[in-house]
Amino acid sequence: SGGAGTNFPGPTQQGYPGGTSGTGNANGGGGGGAGAAGSAGTTSAGGDGGDGLPFAIESASSKYYAGGGGGGNHTAPTVGSGGQGGGGAAGAYGTTDRGTAGTYATGGGGGAGSGESGVSDASGGSGGSGIVVVRYQIGSVGTAKATGGAISFYNGKTIHTFTSSGVFTTTAPITGAEVVLIAGGGAGGSQIGGGGGAGGFVPLSSQSFSDSTAYPVVVGAGGGGRKADNWPSDPPAAESGFDTVFNSVTASGGG
């Protein structure tokens, strides 16, 4: 069965479930994304990863984040594609190709390994790492009220982008800030496995930060893909993604 999203399908739903495997030769289901469930595997194809969500915070243009990884396939060349938002595609059928890793700094899930009898090296792709972005309005162009991360400017706003862990340190009070936290995506399963689930996606608005204060930023890594050395006797579990944490808020790693 595909993994369930937190609280799915309740009124406080967080995330979407992965797709179930197909019948017969058990083609893997796609990993759940931030915006849609992963597709189920079928008798002829691995399931596609669920799409993530578009969000315009790094620039004026929307960008998709947190797509699920594609499911592997045991019976035909059609493997699962990754969902929009950095989800990785599954590895090619009948080869030792590992699944494609989730895209860096998107929280995308890794694609699963595919394979067939006698192919024991088709490991899943690693999940994509997470990201933290802080954006706030300023009174003059090209100035900032804090240090930390890669700093850019557009439309009267300052943007701090953290693609690795660091510290957001204010040099003046900040109010009305927008923040996005995305956790690391989960790895795809090895040898005809399911796609990795996307990392948690947490958008926040109207955030305030005190003057002259250091706020640690922990950016979660993607889960590592694993190799099935002695398939099918001991297929290893794919590694989950790691949490992203900022200002007492946690985005959970993908499954």
Side-chain angles (χ1 to χ4, degrees):
S1 299
T6 306
N7 299 328
F8 181 84
T12 58
Q13 174 182 320
Q14 298 176 33
Y16 287 84
T20 58
S21 66
T23 58
N25 284 301
N27 300 314
S39 299
T42 68
T43 56
S44 61
D48 295 334
D51 285 339
L53 288 172
F55 204 80
I57 191 168
E58 292 187 72
S59 69
S61 301
S62 290
K63 173 182 173 180
Y64 273 84
Y65 299 92
N73 196 333
H74 184 64
T75 58
T78 306
V79 297
S81 61
Q84 289 189 86
Y93 161 76
T95 73
T96 58
D97 289 351
R98 68 181 301 156
T100 302
T103 303
Y104 174 78
T106 66
S114 293
E116 59 184 348
S117 178
V119 177
S120 60
D121 196 16
S123 58
S126 298
S129 57
I131 190 172
V132 171
V133 183
V134 184
R135 184 174 74 179
Y136 52 88
Q137 192 82 32
I138 55 177
S140 58
V141 176
T143 61
K145 296 181 179 180
T147 61
I151 300 176
S152 59
F153 307 93
Y154 89 89
N155 197 26
K157 295 181 180 180
T158 301
I159 305 157
H160 297 253
T161 301
F162 291 84
T163 56
S164 60
S165 298
V167 180
F168 179 75
T169 303
T170 57
T171 56
I174 296 173
T175 59
E178 301 165 272
V179 179
V180 163
L181 291 80
I182 297 175
S190 64
Q191 193 78 358
I192 326 163
F201 180 113
V202 181
L204 303 168
S205 60
S206 302
Q207 300 296 292
S208 297
F209 300 95
S210 301
D211 186 14
S212 302
T213 303
Y215 296 85
V217 179
V218 178
V219 175
R226 303 282 178 80
K227 176 181 175 182
D229 291 314
N230 297 299
W231 179 266
S233 60
D234 61 345
E239 187 175 42
S240 294
F242 294 85
D243 295 350
T244 288
V245 184
F246 175 63
N247 197 23
S248 301
V249 176
T250 298
S252 298

PDB file of all heavy atoms in Angstrom, residues 98-141:
ATOM      1  N   ARG A  98      19.697   3.265 -11.372  1.00  0.00           N
ATOM      2  CA  ARG A  98      18.976   3.669 -10.165  1.00  0.00           C
ATOM      3  C   ARG A  98      17.932   4.717 -10.521  1.00  0.00           C
ATOM      4  O   ARG A  98      17.980   5.334 -11.583  1.00  0.00           O
ATOM      5  CB  ARG A  98      19.946   4.216  -9.129  1.00  0.00           C
ATOM      6  CG  ARG A  98      20.594   5.538  -9.486  1.00  0.00           C
ATOM      7  CD  ARG A  98      21.571   5.990  -8.402  1.00  0.00           C
ATOM      8  NE  ARG A  98      20.898   6.140  -7.124  1.00  0.00           N
ATOM      9  CZ  ARG A  98      21.523   6.074  -5.944  1.00  0.00           C
ATOM     10  NH1 ARG A  98      22.813   5.835  -5.881  1.00  0.00           N
ATOM     11  NH2 ARG A  98      20.856   6.240  -4.828  1.00  0.00           N
ATOM     12  N   GLY A  99      16.984   4.903  -9.616  1.00  0.00           N
ATOM     13  CA  GLY A  99      16.008   5.959  -9.834  1.00  0.00           C
ATOM     14  C   GLY A  99      16.670   7.323  -9.835  1.00  0.00           C
ATOM     15  O   GLY A  99      17.730   7.529  -9.237  1.00  0.00           O
ATOM     16  N   THR A 100      16.031   8.271 -10.503  1.00  0.00           N
ATOM     17  CA  THR A 100      16.545   9.638 -10.547  1.00  0.00           C
ATOM     18  C   THR A 100      16.333  10.313  -9.198  1.00  0.00           C
ATOM     19  O   THR A 100      15.269  10.197  -8.591  1.00  0.00           O
ATOM     20  CB  THR A 100      15.821  10.438 -11.640  1.00  0.00           C
ATOM     21  OG1 THR A 100      16.001   9.784 -12.892  1.00  0.00           O
ATOM     22  CG2 THR A 100      16.364  11.858 -11.731  1.00  0.00           C
ATOM     23  N   ALA A 101      17.334  11.020  -8.741  1.00  0.00           N
ATOM     24  CA  ALA A 101      17.226  11.736  -7.472  1.00  0.00           C
ATOM     25  C   ALA A 101      16.232  12.885  -7.586  1.00  0.00           C
ATOM     26  O   ALA A 101      16.055  13.480  -8.658  1.00  0.00           O
ATOM     27  CB  ALA A 101      18.590  12.274  -7.056  1.00  0.00           C
ATOM     28  N   GLY A 102      15.569  13.210  -6.477  1.00  0.00           N
ATOM     29  CA  GLY A 102      14.753  14.414  -6.431  1.00  0.00           C
ATOM     30  C   GLY A 102      15.623  15.643  -6.627  1.00  0.00           C
ATOM     31  O   GLY A 102      16.808  15.657  -6.270  1.00  0.00           O
ATOM     32  N   THR A 103      15.057  16.684  -7.184  1.00  0.00           N
ATOM     33  CA  THR A 103      15.818  17.890  -7.512  1.00  0.00           C
ATOM     34  C   THR A 103      16.256  18.641  -6.261  1.00  0.00           C
ATOM     35  O   THR A 103      15.491  18.796  -5.303  1.00  0.00           O
ATOM     36  CB  THR A 103      14.983  18.822  -8.401  1.00  0.00           C
ATOM     37  OG1 THR A 103      14.589  18.110  -9.581  1.00  0.00           O
ATOM     38  CG2 THR A 103      15.764  20.052  -8.812  1.00  0.00           C
ATOM     39  N   TYR A 104      17.493  19.099  -6.304  1.00  0.00           N
ATOM     40  CA  TYR A 104      18.090  19.868  -5.213  1.00  0.00           C
ATOM     41  C   TYR A 104      17.212  21.057  -4.825  1.00  0.00           C
ATOM     42  O   TYR A 104      16.684  21.765  -5.673  1.00  0.00           O
ATOM     43  CB  TYR A 104      19.460  20.349  -5.700  1.00  0.00           C
ATOM     44  CG  TYR A 104      20.217  21.283  -4.791  1.00  0.00           C
ATOM     45  CD1 TYR A 104      20.893  20.807  -3.678  1.00  0.00           C
ATOM     46  CD2 TYR A 104      20.271  22.647  -5.076  1.00  0.00           C
ATOM     47  CE1 TYR A 104      21.607  21.670  -2.860  1.00  0.00           C
ATOM     48  CE2 TYR A 104      20.991  23.514  -4.267  1.00  0.00           C
ATOM     49  CZ  TYR A 104      21.656  23.024  -3.153  1.00  0.00           C
ATOM     50  OH  TYR A 104      22.364  23.875  -2.348  1.00  0.00           O
ATOM     51  N   ALA A 105      17.054  21.250  -3.519  1.00  0.00           N
ATOM     52  CA  ALA A 105      16.365  22.418  -2.954  1.00  0.00           C
ATOM     53  C   ALA A 105      14.907  22.534  -3.381  1.00  0.00           C
ATOM     54  O   ALA A 105      14.374  23.643  -3.481  1.00  0.00           O
ATOM     55  CB  ALA A 105      17.131  23.701  -3.289  1.00  0.00           C
ATOM     56  N   THR A 106      14.248  21.410  -3.616  1.00  0.00           N
ATOM     57  CA  THR A 106      12.812  21.417  -3.900  1.00  0.00           C
ATOM     58  C   THR A 106      12.023  20.524  -2.951  1.00  0.00           C
ATOM     59  O   THR A 106      10.793  20.616  -2.899  1.00  0.00           O
ATOM     60  CB  THR A 106      12.514  20.931  -5.332  1.00  0.00           C
ATOM     61  OG1 THR A 106      12.884  19.539  -5.437  1.00  0.00           O
ATOM     62  CG2 THR A 106      13.252  21.747  -6.367  1.00  0.00           C
ATOM     63  N   GLY A 107      12.690  19.609  -2.247  1.00  0.00           N
ATOM     64  CA  GLY A 107      11.985  18.627  -1.441  1.00  0.00           C
ATOM     65  C   GLY A 107      11.326  17.535  -2.255  1.00  0.00           C
ATOM     66  O   GLY A 107      10.466  16.814  -1.747  1.00  0.00           O
ATOM     67  N   GLY A 108      11.719  17.380  -3.526  1.00  0.00           N
ATOM     68  CA  GLY A 108      11.122  16.339  -4.361  1.00  0.00           C
ATOM     69  C   GLY A 108      11.517  14.941  -3.921  1.00  0.00           C
ATOM     70  O   GLY A 108      12.632  14.700  -3.448  1.00  0.00           O
ATOM     71  N   GLY A 109      10.592  13.983  -4.069  1.00  0.00           N
ATOM     72  CA  GLY A 109      10.892  12.598  -3.743  1.00  0.00           C
ATOM     73  C   GLY A 109      11.752  11.935  -4.801  1.00  0.00           C
ATOM     74  O   GLY A 109      11.707  12.299  -5.975  1.00  0.00           O
ATOM     75  N   GLY A 110      12.546  10.944  -4.406  1.00  0.00           N
ATOM     76  CA  GLY A 110      13.380  10.220  -5.347  1.00  0.00           C
ATOM     77  C   GLY A 110      12.585   9.184  -6.126  1.00  0.00           C
ATOM     78  O   GLY A 110      11.605   8.628  -5.644  1.00  0.00           O
ATOM     79  N   GLY A 111      13.012   8.921  -7.370  1.00  0.00           N
ATOM     80  CA  GLY A 111      12.381   7.888  -8.175  1.00  0.00           C
ATOM     81  C   GLY A 111      12.836   6.507  -7.734  1.00  0.00           C
ATOM     82  O   GLY A 111      13.947   6.318  -7.222  1.00  0.00           O
ATOM     83  N   ALA A 112      11.989   5.521  -7.916  1.00  0.00           N
ATOM     84  CA  ALA A 112      12.297   4.155  -7.515  1.00  0.00           C
ATOM     85  C   ALA A 112      13.238   3.479  -8.507  1.00  0.00           C
ATOM     86  O   ALA A 112      13.338   3.880  -9.665  1.00  0.00           O
ATOM     87  CB  ALA A 112      11.014   3.344  -7.404  1.00  0.00           C
ATOM     88  N   GLY A 113      13.901   2.431  -8.051  1.00  0.00           N
ATOM     89  CA  GLY A 113      14.623   1.562  -8.960  1.00  0.00           C
ATOM     90  C   GLY A 113      13.654   0.626  -9.669  1.00  0.00           C
ATOM     91  O   GLY A 113      12.612   0.268  -9.120  1.00  0.00           O
ATOM     92  N   SER A 114      13.971   0.243 -10.888  1.00  0.00           N
ATOM     93  CA  SER A 114      13.172  -0.751 -11.601  1.00  0.00           C
ATOM     94  C   SER A 114      13.965  -2.057 -11.627  1.00  0.00           C
ATOM     95  O   SER A 114      14.733  -2.334 -10.718  1.00  0.00           O
ATOM     96  CB  SER A 114      12.833  -0.259 -13.004  1.00  0.00           C
ATOM     97  OG  SER A 114      11.959   0.853 -12.953  1.00  0.00           O
ATOM     98  N   GLY A 115      13.819  -2.872 -12.664  1.00  0.00           N
ATOM     99  CA  GLY A 115      14.605  -4.092 -12.722  1.00  0.00           C
ATOM    100  C   GLY A 115      13.803  -5.282 -13.186  1.00  0.00           C
ATOM    101  O   GLY A 115      12.621  -5.186 -13.499  1.00  0.00           O
ATOM    102  N   GLU A 116      14.476  -6.418 -13.249  1.00  0.00           N
ATOM    103  CA  GLU A 116      13.849  -7.676 -13.587  1.00  0.00           C
ATOM    104  C   GLU A 116      14.670  -8.786 -12.956  1.00  0.00           C
ATOM    105  O   GLU A 116      15.663  -8.538 -12.288  1.00  0.00           O
ATOM    106  CB  GLU A 116      13.782  -7.845 -15.107  1.00  0.00           C
ATOM    107  CG  GLU A 116      15.145  -7.812 -15.791  1.00  0.00           C
ATOM    108  CD  GLU A 116      15.028  -7.895 -17.290  1.00  0.00           C
ATOM    109  OE1 GLU A 116      13.949  -8.206 -17.785  1.00  0.00           O
ATOM    110  OE2 GLU A 116      16.024  -7.644 -17.982  1.00  0.00           O
ATOM    111  N   SER A 117      14.290 -10.004 -13.171  1.00  0.00           N
ATOM    112  CA  SER A 117      14.980 -11.125 -12.560  1.00  0.00           C
ATOM    113  C   SER A 117      16.472 -11.081 -12.900  1.00  0.00           C
ATOM    114  O   SER A 117      16.863 -10.915 -14.052  1.00  0.00           O
ATOM    115  CB  SER A 117      14.376 -12.436 -13.062  1.00  0.00           C
ATOM    116  OG  SER A 117      15.064 -13.536 -12.511  1.00  0.00           O
ATOM    117  N   GLY A 118      17.316 -11.209 -11.889  1.00  0.00           N
ATOM    118  CA  GLY A 118      18.750 -11.200 -12.084  1.00  0.00           C
ATOM    119  C   GLY A 118      19.373  -9.822 -12.002  1.00  0.00           C
ATOM    120  O   GLY A 118      20.594  -9.699 -11.996  1.00  0.00           O
ATOM    121  N   VAL A 119      18.562  -8.779 -11.928  1.00  0.00           N
ATOM    122  CA  VAL A 119      19.086  -7.425 -11.781  1.00  0.00           C
ATOM    123  C   VAL A 119      18.968  -7.048 -10.311  1.00  0.00           C
ATOM    124  O   VAL A 119      17.876  -6.899  -9.792  1.00  0.00           O
ATOM    125  CB  VAL A 119      18.297  -6.416 -12.650  1.00  0.00           C
ATOM    126  CG1 VAL A 119      18.808  -5.002 -12.421  1.00  0.00           C
ATOM    127  CG2 VAL A 119      18.419  -6.782 -14.117  1.00  0.00           C
ATOM    128  N   SER A 120      20.108  -6.928  -9.643  1.00  0.00           N
ATOM    129  CA  SER A 120      20.060  -6.728  -8.193  1.00  0.00           C
ATOM    130  C   SER A 120      20.643  -5.395  -7.763  1.00  0.00           C
ATOM    131  O   SER A 120      20.918  -5.181  -6.603  1.00  0.00           O
ATOM    132  CB  SER A 120      20.837  -7.848  -7.501  1.00  0.00           C
ATOM    133  OG  SER A 120      22.191  -7.846  -7.920  1.00  0.00           O
ATOM    134  N   ASP A 121      20.847  -4.488  -8.706  1.00  0.00           N
ATOM    135  CA  ASP A 121      21.556  -3.262  -8.396  1.00  0.00           C
ATOM    136  C   ASP A 121      20.706  -2.020  -8.613  1.00  0.00           C
ATOM    137  O   ASP A 121      21.212  -0.917  -8.688  1.00  0.00           O
ATOM    138  CB  ASP A 121      22.814  -3.182  -9.269  1.00  0.00           C
ATOM    139  CG  ASP A 121      23.813  -2.146  -8.748  1.00  0.00           C
ATOM    140  OD1 ASP A 121      23.691  -1.724  -7.598  1.00  0.00           O
ATOM    141  OD2 ASP A 121      24.688  -1.767  -9.534  1.00  0.00           O
ATOM    142  N   ALA A 122      19.401  -2.192  -8.789  1.00  0.00           N
ATOM    143  CA  ALA A 122      18.539  -1.068  -9.160  1.00  0.00           C
ATOM    144  C   ALA A 122      18.046  -0.339  -7.909  1.00  0.00           C
ATOM    145  O   ALA A 122      16.931  -0.532  -7.446  1.00  0.00           O
ATOM    146  CB  ALA A 122      17.361  -1.553  -9.996  1.00  0.00           C
ATOM    147  N   SER A 123      18.894   0.494  -7.344  1.00  0.00           N
ATOM    148  CA  SER A 123      18.526   1.199  -6.126  1.00  0.00           C
ATOM    149  C   SER A 123      17.663   2.418  -6.433  1.00  0.00           C
ATOM    150  O   SER A 123      17.639   2.923  -7.555  1.00  0.00           O
ATOM    151  CB  SER A 123      19.784   1.643  -5.369  1.00  0.00           C
ATOM    152  OG  SER A 123      20.580   2.472  -6.173  1.00  0.00           O
ATOM    153  N   GLY A 124      16.950   2.866  -5.422  1.00  0.00           N
ATOM    154  CA  GLY A 124      16.129   4.053  -5.585  1.00  0.00           C
ATOM    155  C   GLY A 124      16.968   5.318  -5.574  1.00  0.00           C
ATOM    156  O   GLY A 124      18.082   5.354  -5.032  1.00  0.00           O
ATOM    157  N   GLY A 125      16.448   6.372  -6.181  1.00  0.00           N
ATOM    158  CA  GLY A 125      17.120   7.666  -6.172  1.00  0.00           C
ATOM    159  C   GLY A 125      16.945   8.375  -4.846  1.00  0.00           C
ATOM    160  O   GLY A 125      15.931   8.221  -4.152  1.00  0.00           O
ATOM    161  N   SER A 126      17.926   9.147  -4.471  1.00  0.00           N
ATOM    162  CA  SER A 126      17.840   9.918  -3.232  1.00  0.00           C
ATOM    163  C   SER A 126      16.801  11.030  -3.355  1.00  0.00           C
ATOM    164  O   SER A 126      16.510  11.511  -4.453  1.00  0.00           O
ATOM    165  CB  SER A 126      19.200  10.538  -2.894  1.00  0.00           C
ATOM    166  OG  SER A 126      20.177   9.532  -2.683  1.00  0.00           O
ATOM    167  N   GLY A 127      16.249  11.435  -2.220  1.00  0.00           N
ATOM    168  CA  GLY A 127      15.307  12.546  -2.225  1.00  0.00           C
ATOM    169  C   GLY A 127      16.009  13.870  -2.410  1.00  0.00           C
ATOM    170  O   GLY A 127      17.205  14.022  -2.131  1.00  0.00           O
ATOM    171  N   GLY A 128      15.274  14.865  -2.904  1.00  0.00           N
ATOM    172  CA  GLY A 128      15.817  16.211  -3.050  1.00  0.00           C
ATOM    173  C   GLY A 128      15.888  16.917  -1.701  1.00  0.00           C
ATOM    174  O   GLY A 128      15.033  16.740  -0.835  1.00  0.00           O
ATOM    175  N   SER A 129      16.920  17.713  -1.517  1.00  0.00           N
ATOM    176  CA  SER A 129      17.066  18.461  -0.269  1.00  0.00           C
ATOM    177  C   SER A 129      15.998  19.541  -0.156  1.00  0.00           C
ATOM    178  O   SER A 129      15.326  19.900  -1.127  1.00  0.00           O
ATOM    179  CB  SER A 129      18.454  19.094  -0.206  1.00  0.00           C
ATOM    180  OG  SER A 129      18.681  19.921  -1.335  1.00  0.00           O
ATOM    181  N   GLY A 130      15.858  20.075   1.047  1.00  0.00           N
ATOM    182  CA  GLY A 130      14.849  21.093   1.297  1.00  0.00           C
ATOM    183  C   GLY A 130      15.372  22.509   1.083  1.00  0.00           C
ATOM    184  O   GLY A 130      16.453  22.737   0.537  1.00  0.00           O
ATOM    185  N   ILE A 131      14.598  23.471   1.548  1.00  0.00           N
ATOM    186  CA  ILE A 131      14.933  24.887   1.358  1.00  0.00           C
ATOM    187  C   ILE A 131      14.144  25.713   2.368  1.00  0.00           C
ATOM    188  O   ILE A 131      13.065  25.305   2.814  1.00  0.00           O
ATOM    189  CB  ILE A 131      14.605  25.333  -0.094  1.00  0.00           C
ATOM    190  CG1 ILE A 131      15.150  26.714  -0.401  1.00  0.00           C
ATOM    191  CG2 ILE A 131      13.103  25.260  -0.355  1.00  0.00           C
ATOM    192  CD1 ILE A 131      15.023  27.108  -1.881  1.00  0.00           C
ATOM    193  N   VAL A 132      14.697  26.863   2.739  1.00  0.00           N
ATOM    194  CA  VAL A 132      13.971  27.867   3.520  1.00  0.00           C
ATOM    195  C   VAL A 132      14.135  29.201   2.800  1.00  0.00           C
ATOM    196  O   VAL A 132      15.252  29.590   2.437  1.00  0.00           O
ATOM    197  CB  VAL A 132      14.510  27.987   4.961  1.00  0.00           C
ATOM    198  CG1 VAL A 132      13.875  29.183   5.678  1.00  0.00           C
ATOM    199  CG2 VAL A 132      14.239  26.708   5.748  1.00  0.00           C
ATOM    200  N   VAL A 133      13.027  29.911   2.592  1.00  0.00           N
ATOM    201  CA  VAL A 133      13.054  31.227   1.955  1.00  0.00           C
ATOM    202  C   VAL A 133      12.306  32.211   2.852  1.00  0.00           C
ATOM    203  O   VAL A 133      11.185  31.932   3.301  1.00  0.00           O
ATOM    204  CB  VAL A 133      12.404  31.207   0.553  1.00  0.00           C
ATOM    205  CG1 VAL A 133      12.529  32.577  -0.106  1.00  0.00           C
ATOM    206  CG2 VAL A 133      13.035  30.133  -0.322  1.00  0.00           C
ATOM    207  N   VAL A 134      12.943  33.355   3.120  1.00  0.00           N
ATOM    208  CA  VAL A 134      12.327  34.435   3.897  1.00  0.00           C
ATOM    209  C   VAL A 134      12.267  35.669   3.006  1.00  0.00           C
ATOM    210  O   VAL A 134      13.284  36.082   2.434  1.00  0.00           O
ATOM    211  CB  VAL A 134      13.142  34.752   5.172  1.00  0.00           C
ATOM    212  CG1 VAL A 134      12.423  35.821   5.999  1.00  0.00           C
ATOM    213  CG2 VAL A 134      13.371  33.493   6.006  1.00  0.00           C
ATOM    214  N   ARG A 135      11.098  36.279   2.892  1.00  0.00           N
ATOM    215  CA  ARG A 135      10.928  37.459   2.035  1.00  0.00           C
ATOM    216  C   ARG A 135      10.185  38.550   2.799  1.00  0.00           C
ATOM    217  O   ARG A 135       9.182  38.277   3.464  1.00  0.00           O
ATOM    218  CB  ARG A 135      10.152  37.088   0.767  1.00  0.00           C
ATOM    219  CG  ARG A 135      10.007  38.238  -0.227  1.00  0.00           C
ATOM    220  CD  ARG A 135       9.371  37.770  -1.518  1.00  0.00           C
ATOM    221  NE  ARG A 135       7.944  37.525  -1.373  1.00  0.00           N
ATOM    222  CZ  ARG A 135       7.140  37.121  -2.360  1.00  0.00           C
ATOM    223  NH1 ARG A 135       7.656  36.875  -3.558  1.00  0.00           N
ATOM    224  NH2 ARG A 135       5.852  36.929  -2.158  1.00  0.00           N
ATOM    225  N   TYR A 136      10.659  39.788   2.685  1.00  0.00           N
ATOM    226  CA  TYR A 136      10.008  40.896   3.393  1.00  0.00           C
ATOM    227  C   TYR A 136      10.155  42.188   2.598  1.00  0.00           C
ATOM    228  O   TYR A 136      11.072  42.362   1.803  1.00  0.00           O
ATOM    229  CB  TYR A 136      10.582  41.066   4.803  1.00  0.00           C
ATOM    230  CG  TYR A 136      12.097  41.165   4.860  1.00  0.00           C
ATOM    231  CD1 TYR A 136      12.748  42.391   4.723  1.00  0.00           C
ATOM    232  CD2 TYR A 136      12.872  40.032   5.052  1.00  0.00           C
ATOM    233  CE1 TYR A 136      14.131  42.490   4.769  1.00  0.00           C
ATOM    234  CE2 TYR A 136      14.256  40.106   5.106  1.00  0.00           C
ATOM    235  CZ  TYR A 136      14.885  41.342   4.967  1.00  0.00           C
ATOM    236  OH  TYR A 136      16.260  41.427   5.004  1.00  0.00           O
ATOM    237  N   GLN A 137       9.201  43.098   2.835  1.00  0.00           N
ATOM    238  CA  GLN A 137       9.190  44.399   2.157  1.00  0.00           C
ATOM    239  C   GLN A 137      10.195  45.337   2.815  1.00  0.00           C
ATOM    240  O   GLN A 137      10.385  45.307   4.039  1.00  0.00           O
ATOM    241  CB  GLN A 137       7.792  45.014   2.246  1.00  0.00           C
ATOM    242  CG  GLN A 137       7.574  46.216   1.347  1.00  0.00           C
ATOM    243  CD  GLN A 137       7.250  45.817  -0.083  1.00  0.00           C
ATOM    244  OE1 GLN A 137       6.640  44.792  -0.312  1.00  0.00           O
ATOM    245  NE2 GLN A 137       7.681  46.640  -1.029  1.00  0.00           N
ATOM    246  N   ILE A 138      10.862  46.151   2.005  1.00  0.00           N
ATOM    247  CA  ILE A 138      11.798  47.146   2.523  1.00  0.00           C
ATOM    248  C   ILE A 138      11.478  48.501   1.933  1.00  0.00           C
ATOM    249  O   ILE A 138      10.790  48.623   0.920  1.00  0.00           O
ATOM    250  CB  ILE A 138      13.263  46.767   2.219  1.00  0.00           C
ATOM    251  CG1 ILE A 138      13.459  46.524   0.713  1.00  0.00           C
ATOM    252  CG2 ILE A 138      13.685  45.547   3.006  1.00  0.00           C
ATOM    253  CD1 ILE A 138      14.879  46.223   0.321  1.00  0.00           C
ATOM    254  N   GLY A 139      12.017  49.567   2.578  1.00  0.00           N
ATOM    255  CA  GLY A 139      11.707  50.908   2.137  1.00  0.00           C
ATOM    256  C   GLY A 139      12.549  51.392   0.976  1.00  0.00           C
ATOM    257  O   GLY A 139      12.148  52.302   0.260  1.00  0.00           O
ATOM    258  N   SER A 140      13.732  50.807   0.795  1.00  0.00           N
ATOM    259  CA  SER A 140      14.595  51.255  -0.288  1.00  0.00           C
ATOM    260  C   SER A 140      15.170  50.054  -1.018  1.00  0.00           C
ATOM    261  O   SER A 140      15.308  48.972  -0.450  1.00  0.00           O
ATOM    262  CB  SER A 140      15.740  52.126   0.245  1.00  0.00           C
ATOM    263  OG  SER A 140      16.503  51.408   1.195  1.00  0.00           O
ATOM    264  N   VAL A 141      15.480  50.246  -2.283  1.00  0.00           N
ATOM    265  CA  VAL A 141      15.947  49.157  -3.125  1.00  0.00           C
ATOM    266  C   VAL A 141      17.365  48.735  -2.730  1.00  0.00           C
ATOM    267  O   VAL A 141      18.227  49.572  -2.462  1.00  0.00           O
ATOM    268  CB  VAL A 141      15.929  49.564  -4.607  1.00  0.00           C
ATOM    269  CG1 VAL A 141      16.511  48.454  -5.485  1.00  0.00           C
ATOM    270  CG2 VAL A 141      14.499  49.880  -5.034  1.00  0.00           C
TER     271      VAL A 141
END
